Amino acid sequence: MRDRETQERYGPDVNRRSFLKGSGVAVAATAIATAAEEALAQDKKATSAATSSKAQDIELTINGTVHKLKLEPRVTLLDAIRNDCNLTGCKEVCTTKNCGACTVMINGKAVYACTRLAVAEQGKKITTVEALSAGGKTDPVITCFIKHDATQCGYCTPGFVVATRAFLNEHPKATLEEIQKGLGGNLCRCGTYDGVAKCALELAKGGA
Amino acid sequence: MAEERKFGWGPRQDNVLIGKSIQRIDGFEKVSGRAKYTADMNTPGTLYAKLLTCTHAHARLKKLDVEPAKKIPGVRAVYVFPAGDLKPEGSGEIFWDGTLIAAVAADRPEIAEDGVKAIIAEYEVLEHIVDEEDLAAAEAAKATKAVGKNAKGKVEDALKTAKHVHKGYYGVNTISHMCLEPHGTHCEWKADEVLDVHASTQNVSGLAGQFAGPLGIDAAKVLVTANFEGGGFGSKFAADEWGIAAAKMAKETGKPVKLMLDRATELKAAGTRPSGYIDVTLGADETGKIIAWDSHHWGSGGISGGAIPVGGVPYVFDFENRNRSATQLNCNVGPTRAWRAPPHPQLCILTHCAIDDLAAKIGKDSYDVFLHNLEQTAGTAPHLPATYKAEMEIAAKLIGWKEKWHPHGKDAGKGAIKRGLGMALHTWGGGAGGCACNVKIHADGSVESFVGSQDIGTGTRTIIAITLAETFGLPLAGIKVNLGSNKYPASAASGGSITVGGVSGAHRRAAQTALWKIFDLVAEKYKVDAGTLAAKGGSIVSGEKKICTWKQAAMLLGPMGLETKGEGPAEDGLTSSRVGGVQMADVSVDSETGIVRVNKFVAVQDCGLILDELTAKSQIYGGVIMGIAYALSEERVMDKKTGRYINADLQNYKLPRIGDIGEIIVDIYQPDSEYNRGVIGLGEPPVISPGAAISNAVANALGVRVPVVPLTPQRVLAALSKKGGAA
Amino acid sequence: MKNFEFASPQTESEAVGLLQDHGGRTAVLAGGTDLVGLLQADLVAPERVVDVRQIQSMQGVRRDADGLWVGVLTTLDEVMASPLLKPYLSLVQVADAHHAIQIQSSGTLGGDLCHLPNCWYYRNGYGLLAMQDGESLVQTGDNRYHAILGNSGPAKFVNASRFAPALIAWGAKVRIIGPAPDQVEVVPLEYFYVSPKSANQGNTILKPGQLISHIWLPAVEPTHVSATYEVLQLEGLDWPLASASVTLDVEGGVVRAARVVLGHVAPTPWVSLEAASILRNQMVSEDLANAAGAAAVSKATPLSNNEYKVQIAKTAVKRAVLKAVGQLEGGL
């Protein structure tokens, strides 16, 4: 393979032939983007120049409200939501995409807010747990969590609620096994999983 | 009439709320994300603090220059912790990875981080010892200390006459509390030099003095608030040096300062449960009665003590002939704090795994051996043998012990997957903690209470509301519970399962005292015998006859209403202590990968009078799940090479998720005799047995003991390969 | 987190241009599930972060004459939902085994392929080679999760990609763009990874200013079957202790050709020609699968704490083979 050093895993007498049909065929190494796409993109180019590292104007649309902030590019969406928008239902626990306490929805999908930069999430529809009990309407996930006591210290709970809502939106008839797989990205230390599972299952059975 | 007026709980069958499954009253606030925790405090102008910690296990700090941090725009204060203070001659020795050196407070968290990075710290790295299991190595390094030895009976003789003798080695590694809301405070100085502290604490009433001393102010000028607390498990009783740091930086800057530990520091510095390892020999007579125990155990709780003490093994049981001794390893590891039921989970593993192996050696079902020896638990409390026996029978039925049990390693399954059963027992005190409260009945009939306790997720608010509502015959919504402030009557820290007894007893006393006054007023006004009155369904009744509504009765109190005080604990039968508890695990082990999964877990638990069955069961589910965590995956990994807590992050500090817990069956053992005992705390007991029960189930599945918990694939496969290979 | 500039290009060429500045001290942001954590820990400290998610050409899956072009921005959710990717069962299985909807919604194939090692020495700031005073910390430290194959050099971490074994077993290639404008090369994925020999070397062939834009997959023939078996300690979000992906060409029950690739056992995905040759021209059976597993680890050189991974890797190969032909029973 060109100038690359021989990799350790290949013994000296191994014939590196590929076996699957097609993989030996020379692949056209041409640009994948179509001309039309490139042209379309050129029109938008004004928005794509690199910004400075200084604090800059940023607009986040959270729960339908536009928050105008001045933030450095390094500020995470989690920090912006909690510290700058004072929406503290979204919790900081691990900051390393493991625990799910900071789960929000972006364009309807469950996302760890600690894995996003605020500057990169402009123009998207961000939903936090606060939206699930706004305007006098309470999401059934919330009432059902309370019913099954799927909260103890409560610190993981809002993130779990958002994840459960996003999950049920996509899997309204989920089975217990699907719930256990889908919600494996949320961590609880007090041990409320049994209540969460009962809640999600009940809503799935009742067509949440 | 005076004789009838004794504090007590009503007849069980009359209860409207007590013992039922009641949703927690602060559920909506928590579940909707509206509850404000300490970490959520963003009062105007709040500065964010970040920490510099030492990442050497043993070192001497030679230089610390914080000036570069101070020069960064937006940095408002830099605080140097005692470990970073080089002024006294000979200071600067650091003993464990994670030691706090300095804190930086800044306008924004990212600027505080810049400040931390700008600090220059230079260390001379020294030799460290972090292996808590290797006793010989620690002895060679002179890092051990004998912590006690005691004996009774004649162990050597008993072992000689014993029909069956088993020698074993068992252990359990250190874990961290790993609270989801890290330790920390939000400190703000208010008018008149009052320090307003929001703290993530289990000890609202006990913190003021801890702040006042180091700050040189009166405790009366410290306001402590903790409306919600994101997990403590025994690690959040203190103001802590980081709390003092926040208060001092707030003072220096004239702004509020929020200092929450970062995740790694939370794992390293804010509390661990000490490790324990044991060499033990047991002897049993021909009937399977255990007649001798001879053990030496060791482990580490850090550089300056905190290891598991000598007492406590054998756990729950005591045997006629028993020797035990213990050694503490002074390792360069972070310090311990009380971890839920200290140190019972470790003692249970060190004892009940050995009993299980002895049963296998005798060739008996371990259930029968535990059963046969139950009389030897009477020393812990006379009622325990009978409680355990009843609970074992219930648990055995629920898990199908008789149908599924097989001798260790025999008939455990044909393919790679082996299935097994295991059990263990536990006990805990859980008596009532000290508590004072005020109950106020307003002239309009609304009721509120004030107590300097805290709801750490256990349902304290809810059980107070249930106690008052039941006493007054009111709906829960008619009760407003105020807690989480040290300006309310003092209540003990929430640790050791003493809160429910403390607050329910005190509130029942205050409520009954108030109710009797109301009965007297009603009796006078409506010309009825006060001794016949009861408060039910929002009314005062005499037998079947409604005398007046609660509101009408309250109006008799006059415009000031009525305020009564409740205190405890007291010897009046409202509360009690000492529970048992039996747990059984059904596990599958993949003998080709070493992965263990819990199929089913049964927890049968007595705890006296249940106030709220829903939250009581939650405590048991939670205890079992925490138990599954330390049984199967959770441990602090101290890297011998670097001396660091190398997995202080949630990627490698492995905790179970919703799919990792199997089916958990919770059964509260509550015959009338339990109800009649009064209230007993429940937080600790269910977390004790899972380690031993699961380890015993794995031994049953594989026919080989995996000696050290957690039972990771690495340890399971190592044990299997010692035995002679997979499957 | 050190501060940086931020850019959000619309086209591949713009992205390449933006990545050139600052001497290539730039980073590509896609789903953010690895990069943002690395930035927060200062393990990656670029002068500029280039968010490539707006680049339409790098999204989606499209067919060409010989196979599929899969944009690297394809998320795990999209892998599971794509009708075109459905025949590549071993890939779909990997996406499905990420038991967290948050990762499935955000994580991209490109991000997975470029995921930096989870080695705890690396993540604690000791560098990819985990060297201290000229000595490997891994060699004498806690190496329970480290390499059991290909570990004689200085690199002893395990490659973190969960999709690479399945993709390599399918004969995938990656399209690399940059650093010069319009510079494009297409490289078999198995040659994309390297085991670094020095501290300043990365774990892929990407040079500063380059990024991967697409993955090419050969067309599936009716006789192709595939499977991935990941050994995960936890059911919830976790990383495999070891994994194996196989793609087999099976006719009349006989394996005509086989590719067996192990994950999380070496600094690169590990192509086992030994296991493949055991399978070739044989009927699949439990014994044959077992022999393939044994062959795959026959040259394993476990470190002081990770002998157990040899057994796990062997099992993963055996079970992947059986799973591919629908003969797998049990397994936790």
Side-chain angles (χ1 to χ4, degrees):
Chain A
M1 203 46 214
R2 298 193 312 269
D3 56 351
R4 200 164 312 122
E5 46 200 310
T6 303
Q7 290 180 38
E8 203 178 348
R9 66 182 181 279
Y10 293 102
D13 56 356
V14 170
N15 174 16
R16 274 186 224 159
R17 66 188 177 83
S18 51
F19 89 87
L20 288 165
K21 291 171 202 157
S23 63
V25 175
V27 175
T30 51
I32 304 301
T34 65
E37 279 168 350
E38 288 281 342
L40 182 72
Q42 289 299 322
D43 294 341
K44 296 186 188 164
K45 204 167 180 179
T47 59
S48 62
T51 61
S52 86
S53 58
K54 297 268 185 295
Q56 52 205 263
D57 293 327
I58 285 174
E59 287 189 7
L60 293 176
T61 308
I62 308 176
N63 306 335
T65 302
V66 177
H67 293 258
K68 297 190 177 191
L69 310 170
K70 203 166 176 78
L71 300 175
E72 290 175 343
R74 61 174 161 167
V75 176
T76 61
L77 180 62
L78 170 62
D79 275 352
I81 289 173
R82 281 179 58 77
N83 300 336
D84 299 293
C85 304
N86 202 22
L87 291 164
T88 55
C90 178
K91 306 296 186 203
E92 174 182 329
V93 173
C94 74
T95 71
T96 51
K97 57 135 191 318
N98 276 288
C99 76
C102 68
T103 302
V104 298
M105 283 187 260
I106 297 182
N107 294 341
K109 291 262 188 186
V111 164
Y112 294 142
C114 71
T115 65
R116 298 292 173 97
L117 300 173
V119 65
E121 304 307 317
Q122 300 182 83
K124 294 179 188 165
K125 194 181 152 203
I126 300 164
T127 308
T128 69
V129 69
E130 284 85 357
L132 300 183
S133 60
K137 279 211 277 190
T138 301
D139 192 289
V141 171
I142 290 178
T143 26
C144 208
F145 258 66
I146 299 168
K147 177 180 167 187
H148 292 290
D149 207 36
T151 186
Q152 285 189 38
C153 87
Y155 211 69
C156 74
T157 312
F160 235 134
V161 166
V162 176
T164 304
R165 170 40 64 210
F167 172 77
L168 289 171
N169 285 347
E170 296 203 4
H171 306 87
K173 302 277 178 206
T175 61
L176 179 62
E177 198 191 340
E178 287 166 343
I179 289 163
Q180 289 173 337
K181 277 167 62 173
L183 297 180
N186 288 73
L187 180 74
C188 170
R189 185 56 161 154
C190 300
T192 60
Y193 296 132
D194 190 77
V196 176
K198 281 176 181 153
C199 164
L201 200 57
E202 180 176 311
L203 292 173
K205 280 186 174 158
Chain B
M1 202 163 71
E3 286 146 14
E4 289 161 24
R5 287 189 165 173
K6 276 187 186 158
F7 294 128
W9 301 103
R12 191 178 193 178
Q13 64 277 10
D14 291 353
N15 288 331
V16 176
L17 296 167
I18 287 178
K20 307 292 187 290
S21 278
I22 312 284
Q23 295 178 11
R24 59 180 75 213
I25 61 172
D26 50 0
F28 179 78
E29 276 176 281
K30 285 185 175 183
V31 177
S32 69
R34 279 171 175 70
K36 288 282 179 193
Y37 294 74
T38 299
D40 300 333
M41 295 304 296
N42 287 331
T43 56
T46 293
L47 301 177
Y48 299 84
K50 297 280 178 181
L51 297 166
L52 174 71
T53 60
C54 174
T55 54
H56 298 293
H58 190 196
R60 189 174 300 284
L61 179 65
K62 294 193 305 188
K63 179 184 170 188
L64 184 73
D65 183 2
V66 301
E67 291 309 313
K70 289 183 174 167
K71 292 196 181 98
I72 294 173
V75 168
R76 303 293 170 186
V78 180
Y79 175 85
V80 176
F81 287 98
D85 186 358
L86 291 171
K87 277 197 196 100
E89 199 59 33
S91 64
E93 191 171 355
I94 312 276
F95 296 97
W96 45 275
D97 168 30
T99 302
L100 278 64
I101 304 295
V104 176
D107 294 345
R108 298 195 57 87
E110 57 273 15
I111 296 172
E113 262 180 50
D114 290 343
V116 168
K117 275 185 255 173
I119 295 173
I120 296 160
E122 288 173 12
Y123 300 93
E124 174 194 353
V125 177
L126 305 171
E127 293 283 307
H128 62 251
I129 175 162
V130 296
D131 189 332
E132 301 166 52
E133 189 179 352
D134 193 340
L135 180 60
E139 278 170 342
K142 298 197 187 335
T144 59
K145 182 184 165 195
V147 288
K149 184 173 184 167
N150 54 52
K152 69 169 191 177
K154 292 180 174 167
V155 171
E156 275 179 33
D157 294 351
L159 284 172
K160 268 181 212 148
T161 59
K163 176 93 192 302
H164 309 281
V165 174
H166 166 69
K167 257 178 137 102
Y169 167 69
Y170 308 92
V172 47
N173 281 1
T174 296
I175 61 172
S176 287
H177 294 66
M178 226 304 289
C179 309
L180 288 200
E181 181 188 29
H183 287 62
T185 59
H186 178 278
C187 290
E188 185 167 2
W189 291 84
K190 295 278 176 68
D192 199 23
E193 295 291 287
V194 166
L195 175 64
D196 183 358
V197 182
H198 278 78
S200 187
T201 185
Q202 302 173 240
N203 190 13
V204 166
S205 289
L207 284 194
Q210 297 184 36
F211 278 98
L215 295 169
I217 57 172
D218 291 344
K221 292 217 165 182
V222 182
L223 170 61
V224 179
T225 308
N227 286 319
F228 296 95
E229 184 243 359
F233 314 110
S235 67
K236 287 181 177 169
F237 295 128
D240 284 320
E241 55 178 340
W242 47 81
I244 304 303
K248 287 191 171 170
M249 289 192 291
K251 181 88 182 169
E252 182 186 335
T253 58
K255 288 176 167 230
V257 170
K258 179 160 71 178
L259 195 171
M260 306 305 294
L261 300 187
D262 56 84
R263 186 49 43 189
T265 308
E266 172 68 20
L267 281 153
K268 292 175 181 181
T272 59
R273 185 184 82 177
S275 53
Y277 310 92
I278 196 168
D279 279 327
V280 57
T281 306
L282 295 90
D285 68 14
E286 62 286 351
T287 69
K289 184 183 176 193
I290 301 167
I291 54 169
W293 170 282
D294 188 6
S295 72
H296 176 70
H297 68 261
W298 65 94
S300 186
I303 200 73
S304 50
I308 298 170
V310 68
V313 287
Y315 181 61
V316 183
F317 297 91
D318 202 4
F319 307 118
E320 204 180 320
N321 306 289
R322 180 253 295 149
N323 282 350
R324 61 190 178 201
S325 58
T327 302
Q328 165 187 309
L329 273 62
N330 299 325
C331 292
N332 297 99
V333 297
T336 64
R337 295 187 174 198
W339 189 97
R340 208 169 176 178
H344 288 217
Q346 301 101 303
L347 299 174
C348 188
I349 289 164
L350 301 185
T351 304
H352 294 187
C353 294
I355 294 177
D356 184 81
D357 280 347
L358 174 67
K361 186 135 197 187
I362 297 173
K364 283 195 166 182
D365 183 337
S366 33
Y367 181 96
D368 295 333
V369 172
F370 274 105
L371 189 69
H372 187 57
N373 283 282
L374 284 184
E375 281 310 319
Q376 304 199 76
T377 67
T380 304
H383 76 276
L384 283 178
T387 301
Y388 286 136
K389 183 165 183 290
E391 290 177 338
M392 280 176 69
E393 284 166 7
I394 297 166
K397 270 195 196 123
L398 288 170
I399 208 152
W401 185 283
K402 294 238 157 67
E403 306 83 73
K404 290 186 196 153
W405 191 85
H406 51 74
H408 283 16
K410 304 246 162 53
D411 307 317
K414 282 207 167 55
I417 310 302
K418 307 296 179 193
R419 205 161 165 161
L421 289 182
M423 66 165 286
L425 321 170
H426 55 256
T427 184
W428 187 256
C435 178
C437 68
N438 283 340
V439 170
K440 185 163 188 177
I441 300 167
H442 292 275
D444 66 354
S446 60
V447 176
E448 65 180 322
S449 71
F450 301 87
V451 63
S453 186
Q454 49 278 316
D455 192 332
I456 59 172
T458 45
T460 307
R461 275 188 187 87
T462 309
I463 58 100
I464 290 172
I466 290 171
T467 300
L468 296 180
E470 184 76 54
T471 308
F472 296 137
L474 295 174
L476 278 179
I479 312 291
K480 166 102 175 91
V481 177
N482 300 285
L483 53 65
S485 168
N486 70 331
K487 296 302 160 189
Y488 302 147
S491 187
S494 289
S497 301
I498 60 170
T499 303
V500 63
V503 301
S504 66
H507 283 81
R508 177 74 178 179
R509 289 178 197 107
Q512 284 192 298
T513 304
L515 192 62
W516 292 331
K517 282 196 179 156
I518 289 173
F519 285 168
D520 287 345
L521 292 169
V522 169
E524 196 184 327
K525 164 103 178 169
Y526 295 98
K527 310 293 176 221
V528 288
D529 180 357
T532 68
L533 295 177
K536 271 185 187 172
S539 297
I540 306 296
V541 299
S542 173
E544 295 293 300
K545 193 178 162 214
K546 179 175 162 180
I547 306 298
C548 65
T549 66
W550 171 259
K551 275 182 190 294
Q552 286 167 329
M555 273 185 346
L556 302 176
L557 297 168
M560 303 297 284
L562 173 66
E563 194 164 326
T564 56
K565 202 173 163 69
E567 282 182 334
E571 297 292 318
D572 54 13
L574 284 176
T575 64
S576 184
S577 68
R578 187 54 61 193
V579 299
V582 170
Q583 297 186 350
M584 294 182 179
D586 169 353
V587 304
S588 286
V589 188
D590 188 330
S591 60
E592 292 180 346
T593 63
I595 288 171
V596 180
R597 301 252 189 263
V598 175
N599 303 314
K600 189 168 177 174
F601 196 98
V602 169
V604 180
Q605 185 63 52
D606 52 299
C607 66
L609 181 153
I610 300 285
L611 288 162
D612 179 1
E613 189 162 300
L614 184 64
T615 52
K617 281 190 167 174
S618 287
Q619 283 300 303
I620 303 174
Y621 281 118
V624 169
I625 290 168
M626 276 190 119
I628 290 171
Y630 73 71
L632 294 182
S633 59
E634 173 191 11
E635 62 183 317
R636 173 175 72 185
V637 178
M638 293 304 304
D639 174 41
K640 279 174 231 169
K641 185 72 187 166
T642 58
R644 291 184 68 174
Y645 187 154
I646 201 78
N647 66 331
D649 61 79
L650 284 181
Q651 175 126 319
N652 289 310
Y653 191 87
K654 295 192 180 211
L655 290 167
R657 309 296 175 110
I658 194 167
D660 288 296
I661 57 170
E663 181 194 6
I664 301 172
I665 309 286
V666 168
D667 188 281
I668 300 181
Y669 177 65
Q670 45 178 339
D672 286 341
S673 57
E674 282 295 322
Y675 180 84
N676 295 336
R677 297 182 69 197
V679 176
I680 310 175
L682 182 58
E684 329 291 309
V687 84
I688 297 168
S689 281
I694 291 171
S695 177
N696 290 343
V698 169
N700 183 240
L702 297 178
V704 62
R705 174 66 56 175
V706 184
V708 176
V709 168
L711 309 169
T712 59
Q714 182 181 20
R715 293 198 183 91
V716 170
L717 290 178
L720 275 170
S721 96
K722 232 180 192 175
K723 182 199 174 197
Chain C
M1 197 182 324
K2 192 179 114 358
N3 215 348
F4 46 76
E5 300 169 359
F6 178 79
S8 184
Q10 305 284 331
T11 66
E12 293 178 16
S13 50
E14 263 187 86
V16 168
L18 286 161
L19 289 168
Q20 305 318 309
D21 299 342
H22 301 296
R25 290 190 307 279
T26 52
V28 177
L29 173 69
T33 57
D34 193 28
L35 182 71
V36 178
L38 291 164
L39 293 171
Q40 294 199 53
D42 289 307
L43 294 171
V44 173
E47 300 291 329
R48 176 183 294 166
V49 168
V50 179
D51 178 3
V52 297
R53 289 177 302 164
Q54 306 306 316
I55 303 172
Q56 278 188 14
S57 61
M58 284 164 55
Q59 300 168 1
V61 184
R62 59 195 84 175
R63 204 196 298 269
D64 79 354
D66 303 310
L68 297 182
W69 287 100
V70 184
V72 291
L73 295 174
T74 302
T75 63
L76 275 55
D77 269 346
E78 289 161 357
V79 170
M80 290 189 287
S82 165
L84 290 174
L85 287 174
K86 203 169 179 178
Y88 303 84
L89 207 52
S90 56
L91 276 182
V92 178
Q93 286 163 351
V94 174
D96 186 58
H98 282 72
H99 289 176
I101 52 171
Q102 297 92 334
I103 297 291
Q104 289 173 332
S105 70
S106 299
T108 64
L109 284 178
D112 175 84
L113 292 180
C114 295
H115 199 294
L116 282 164
N118 292 314
C119 162
W120 45 32
Y121 294 104
Y122 171 65
R123 297 277 164 172
N124 276 294
Y126 295 97
L128 275 181
L129 300 183
M131 299 295 258
Q132 197 177 48
D133 307 327
E135 191 193 339
S136 165
L137 294 172
V138 182
Q139 193 75 43
T140 47
D142 199 317
N143 46 43
R144 68 183 73 181
Y145 298 131
H146 288 79
I148 53 168
L149 284 157
N151 56 8
S152 61
K156 303 187 192 302
F157 60 81
V158 298
N159 185 278
S161 173
R162 290 175 69 173
F163 283 96
L167 287 166
I168 292 170
W170 275 107
K173 303 186 181 196
V174 283
R175 179 175 178 272
I176 298 170
I177 56 177
D182 302 323
Q183 189 177 337
V184 173
E185 58 180 319
V186 176
V187 178
L189 180 59
E190 56 188 294
Y191 303 136
F192 177 68
Y193 294 104
V194 291
S195 180
K197 299 284 186 281
S198 63
N200 54 10
Q201 200 181 356
N203 69 330
T204 71
I205 59 169
L206 285 181
K207 295 192 275 276
Q210 283 188 318
L211 74 157
I212 51 175
S213 67
H214 294 80
I215 299 156
W216 180 84
L217 278 165
V220 179
E221 300 294 328
T223 52
H224 289 166
V225 293
S226 71
T228 297
Y229 194 95
E230 295 186 316
V231 179
L232 291 153
Q233 188 183 349
L234 295 175
E235 281 288 321
L237 188 56
D238 196 9
W239 289 90
L241 294 166
S243 73
S245 291
V246 301
T247 302
L248 308 176
D249 188 355
V250 184
E251 279 181 87
V254 176
V255 177
R256 294 293 166 208
R259 294 265 285 183
V260 179
V261 187
L262 288 80
H264 311 277
V265 295
T268 63
W270 190 263
V271 179
S272 177
L273 300 172
E274 298 89 344
S277 78
I278 293 279
L279 296 169
R280 206 168 298 127
N281 298 324
Q282 302 292 321
M283 296 281 286
V284 176
S285 66
E286 175 134 15
D287 285 347
L288 182 72
N290 216 8
V297 297
S298 59
K299 298 201 173 104
T301 49
L303 302 167
S304 53
N305 299 136
N306 66 7
E307 175 84 40
Y308 77 106
K309 281 188 64 168
V310 176
Q311 162 71 21
I312 287 179
K314 177 183 156 197
T315 304
V317 170
K318 174 177 101 170
R319 293 185 182 176
V321 170
L322 293 172
K323 191 174 171 184
V325 298
Q327 288 182 23
L328 179 63
E329 286 171 22
L332 291 182

